[in-house]
Amino acid sequence: MTDLVALKAANASRWPKAKLTRNFMPAAKRLAAPAAKSRYQAVSARTGVPWPFIAVAHEREASQNWNTQLGQGDPLNQVSTHVPRGRGPFKTWEDGAYDALVNCAPFAARNKDWSIGGTLAMLEQYNGLGYANKGRPSPYIWAGTNQYVSGKYVRDGVYDPATVDQQFGCAGLLMTMMQLDPTITFTGARIAPAPKPPPGAAPRPTIATPAKGSIGAFFVDLFKSVFGRK
């Protein structure tokens, strides 16, 4: 039986050491976009599961396809054939997501520990504990970071140590989403703020102070000359 306390501690200790090795930004922007965020928040309100957890699970299970079940990525309008089997069909993505989080193992809606270690451990349980039982970092969590090199279950019960998971891991997605959206926080998770411009760097152009040589600068100069403003 997997020691979940140890798994939480292991993932919490990997978090500050993790460095991204792939470009997570396009996927993170999709997940944190206002339209997507509002749908995740609607499910969060019904289940108590933080919306970023729902978002990254959606990405891993179905590449954010809204016509699939959150539980395993099977079509929304069919009875699922992958684990969890026998779920659905559902009228809406939100209904399928509710079912996956409330009625299916590992019952994320019952989780009370949403620290970064607890969050990552719950995500790992969502995918399966085969990697933890082997003492290996799960690609479901760590793919695309320096905490993962290779090894993947290529199908149920079949582990290939040489296969490299090409999907984005949940940890890297969360890290990048946290850079985009400062409202995303987890106890024990710190993200470095976006770098400040170097000393002496030109300020970012605005309507009032457009970039030199731009059409905006032309109209500002014209306005000043007509109205005698300096």
Side-chain angles (χ1 to χ4, degrees):
M1 187 173 181
T2 307
D3 185 341
L4 294 180
V5 173
L7 181 60
K8 290 179 185 181
N11 279 325
S13 69
R14 290 185 181 114
W15 176 272
K17 303 171 189 173
K19 305 294 181 185
L20 304 185
T21 58
R22 301 178 194 165
N23 180 15
F24 284 76
M25 190 59 72
K29 284 182 176 179
R30 280 192 289 102
L31 297 176
K37 179 179 177 179
S38 66
R39 297 186 73 171
Y40 296 135
Q41 287 178 317
V43 176
S44 177
R46 294 174 63 190
T47 62
V49 177
W51 76 264
F53 177 104
I54 301 169
V56 298
H58 191 199
E59 179 68 15
R60 279 294 309 195
E61 296 298 329
S63 300
Q64 206 187 21
N65 185 336
W66 298 99
N67 294 312
T68 62
Q69 300 181 36
L70 182 65
Q72 66 304 85
D74 284 353
L76 196 65
N77 61 354
Q78 298 176 20
V79 176
S80 64
T81 57
H82 297 90
V83 178
R85 298 183 180 91
R87 313 310 300 181
F90 300 101
K91 291 183 178 180
T92 68
W93 178 84
E94 285 79 1
D95 288 342
Y98 177 90
D99 179 72
L101 298 169
V102 173
N103 300 322
C104 302
F107 305 103
R110 302 179 190 176
N111 185 44
K112 303 300 181 185
D113 181 2
W114 294 112
S115 66
I116 193 59
T119 298
L120 296 178
M122 178 53 65
L123 282 164
E124 191 160 343
Q125 289 177 77
Y126 201 89
N127 178 243
L129 294 171
Y131 300 101
N133 293 334
K134 288 181 175 293
R136 301 291 299 273
S138 168
Y140 193 89
I141 308 300
W142 298 108
T145 78
N146 62 352
Q147 299 300 298
Y148 168 77
V149 177
S150 66
K152 179 175 171 62
Y153 281 93
V154 292
R155 57 184 180 276
D156 288 349
V158 179
Y159 178 78
D160 182 353
T163 297
V164 177
D165 193 318
Q166 298 302 314
Q167 285 185 272
F168 291 125
C170 294
L173 288 168
L174 289 174
M175 288 178 180
T176 310
M177 290 169 68
M178 290 170 74
Q179 291 180 335
L180 293 170
D181 186 341
T183 68
I184 302 173
T185 59
F186 297 94
T187 303
R190 294 183 179 180
I191 294 294
K196 295 180 180 179
R204 293 181 63 183
T206 66
I207 294 175
T209 58
K212 270 187 182 179
S214 68
I215 188 69
F218 169 78
F219 283 112
V220 168
D221 290 340
L222 180 62
F223 179 84
K224 288 178 179 179
S225 66
V226 170
F227 293 96
R229 295 183 60 182
K230 295 184 180 180

